[in-house]
Amino acid sequence: MTADRETVYTDIVQFLKDHDNYLITAHLNADGDAYASCLAVAYLLHQWNKRFRIILHDERKEDKYAFLWGWEYIQSYREGMDACFSAAVVLDVPSRKRIGGPAALLPGRKACIKIDHHPFEDDFAALQLVDIHASSTSQLVYEVVARSGIEWHRDIATLLFTGIMYDTGRFSFSNTSARDFEIAAHLVPFGIKPHEIANRIFFNNSFDSMRVIGYGLANMEVYLDGKVSIIFLPLEIMQKNEHAEIEELANYSVAIRGVEVGLFIREVQPGFFKVSFRSRGRVNVNQVAKAFGGGGHEHAAGCRVQTNYPELKQRLIEEIARQLPDGPSG
Ligand SMILES: [Mn+2]
């Protein structure tokens, strides 16, 4: 641990003590790490009797996270909403663009901090804790909480554990490090039951959701000699199953022997597509997603595109073919 890093942790703790009336926000399509890291920062501020609001771009609909402390604090952004902040904590997102609507609520750069593990993009925050080797933003927030002086409690332990468990794919993705196991070993004795958290966030699907997942798998296609798989949910299926929790399809898309890149595409509105990318490791899908105005990590990324499906599919396959290294997959 470098002295520089320690200074950043200390500065962040100080920032959270120095201001009041904080905005807490994260990336579009919030996931387990985004929710958990936002709520963990909110927990800290709550301990210190600070005022805060958590405002995310999308509607809060994933009630499988409702067991987390502070879930009811999460609000979705509305244009023209009456919100003014003197400071902001921006989590799990590298650019203003990927914050979505709440980016309009950010105070000036000096009053913003960023805690993130995506490759650096925008300089919108004066104080930054960015580490692309961290498994999750929750891991970085753990380091801050550990230096905050607050007492450990099951609620905050559950938040941080959940975020790390989510972003490491239950401690199995290539981003998982010894630090994650050290942190888990510290957190679990505060009353966490890892299998219960896993059951809540990974094995907690509705019957309808599982049927949609089944549809996606049954209609999967492969291209480029089996190196690219595509799972597509057309508008009709999406509209019939508005509340289905189907994010796991992204991980299934790359869980196939020989597949280097998995795509999970859904048409969310006529002509509007959400694409999730997963890579086995030889293709940097952050770069692929960027070619379509999105972004993320080397192994997992996403974008939103306005087009029609045949054209989107063709452009995606072409872009991946360009970035696919030749030679046998290993
Ligand atoms: Mn994350």
Side-chain angles (χ1 to χ4, degrees):
M1 186 83 39
T2 64
D4 281 2
R5 179 65 77 86
E6 279 301 329
T7 309
V8 175
Y9 294 144
T10 315
D11 289 349
I12 288 178
V13 170
Q14 201 56 48
F15 180 92
L16 297 175
K17 285 181 170 170
D18 279 351
H19 299 263
D20 192 21
N21 188 24
Y22 292 83
L23 167 67
I24 302 173
T25 191
H27 59 77
L28 298 161
N29 294 326
D31 58 12
D33 186 34
Y35 288 135
S37 57
C38 285
L39 292 171
V41 169
Y43 184 94
L44 258 188
L45 293 174
H46 184 75
Q47 292 296 305
W48 292 331
N49 294 314
K50 299 288 188 183
R51 286 174 298 160
F52 63 85
R53 284 173 77 180
I54 307 171
I55 302 177
L56 300 176
H57 179 83
D58 301 282
E59 215 181 304
R60 183 198 70 184
K61 52 181 188 278
E62 295 193 80
D63 283 336
K64 63 184 171 186
Y65 293 107
F67 71 101
L68 293 174
W69 177 93
W71 181 246
E72 63 283 359
Y73 286 119
I74 296 177
Q75 303 174 321
S76 60
Y77 177 77
R78 280 170 290 104
E79 229 162 275
M81 76 192 296
D82 183 21
C84 188
F85 300 96
S86 45
V89 185
V90 181
L91 296 141
D92 205 33
V93 59
S95 67
R96 289 183 76 102
K97 193 181 69 189
R98 289 182 56 75
I99 296 170
L105 306 174
L106 291 181
R109 185 177 172 276
K110 274 197 181 144
C112 292
I113 60 172
K114 167 161 88 164
I115 305 177
D116 187 29
H117 67 134
H118 297 85
F120 177 86
E121 285 185 26
D122 287 12
D123 191 28
F124 62 80
L127 178 56
Q128 311 198 7
L129 171 54
V130 176
D131 181 357
I132 61 165
H133 302 295
S135 65
S136 51
T137 297
S138 297
Q139 190 205 74
L140 297 170
V141 173
Y142 169 90
E143 305 292 359
V144 172
V145 172
R147 288 155 179 85
S148 69
I150 68 156
E151 221 170 282
W152 285 103
H153 179 275
R154 191 183 59 214
D155 288 342
I156 181 69
T158 300
L159 284 169
L160 296 168
F161 186 93
T162 300
I164 293 170
M165 184 185 235
Y166 178 87
D167 253 23
T168 59
R170 310 192 285 279
F171 302 93
S172 71
F173 293 161
S174 59
N175 58 0
T176 314
S177 71
R179 188 65 183 141
D180 295 305
F181 291 102
E182 287 167 3
I183 292 170
H186 176 224
L187 295 177
V188 168
F190 293 104
I192 292 176
K193 294 200 171 60
H195 74 280
E196 284 183 2
I197 296 177
N199 280 336
R200 283 184 187 275
I201 65 176
F202 293 106
F203 309 112
N204 188 16
N205 300 298
S206 68
F207 187 70
D208 286 345
S209 298
M210 283 309 248
R211 288 176 62 103
V212 179
I213 287 171
Y215 173 95
L217 293 174
N219 293 286
M220 179 163 44
E221 296 175 331
V222 290
Y223 295 91
L224 302 177
D225 296 329
K227 292 196 176 72
V228 175
S229 80
I230 298 183
I231 295 173
F232 174 53
L233 298 181
L235 186 65
E236 188 198 345
I237 298 286
M238 292 297 292
Q239 285 179 334
K240 263 196 235 156
N241 299 278
E242 252 184 274
H243 300 291
E245 294 169 307
I246 48 181
E247 298 309 309
E248 199 58 23
L249 274 172
N251 295 326
Y252 290 141
S253 71
V254 78
I256 303 159
R257 199 176 300 132
V259 169
E260 291 288 346
V261 177
L263 304 179
F264 170 38
I265 306 170
R266 50 273 198 221
E267 187 171 10
V268 290
Q269 282 171 42
F272 280 92
F273 298 83
K274 262 166 71 174
V275 185
S276 297
F277 301 84
R278 292 292 183 275
S279 170
R280 182 87 66 179
R282 286 150 47 94
V283 175
N284 180 346
V285 288
N286 183 31
Q287 291 304 326
V288 181
K290 272 194 179 157
F292 293 86
H297 304 276
E298 276 182 35
H299 292 84
C303 64
R304 297 179 179 210
V305 187
Q306 184 178 6
T307 179
N308 61 71
Y309 183 61
E311 188 184 315
L312 173 65
K313 185 160 85 169
Q314 195 191 338
R315 283 174 54 206
L316 285 165
I317 293 169
E318 280 170 12
E319 185 60 34
I320 292 163
R322 224 192 317 277
Q323 303 210 21
L324 203 57
D326 292 315
S329 52

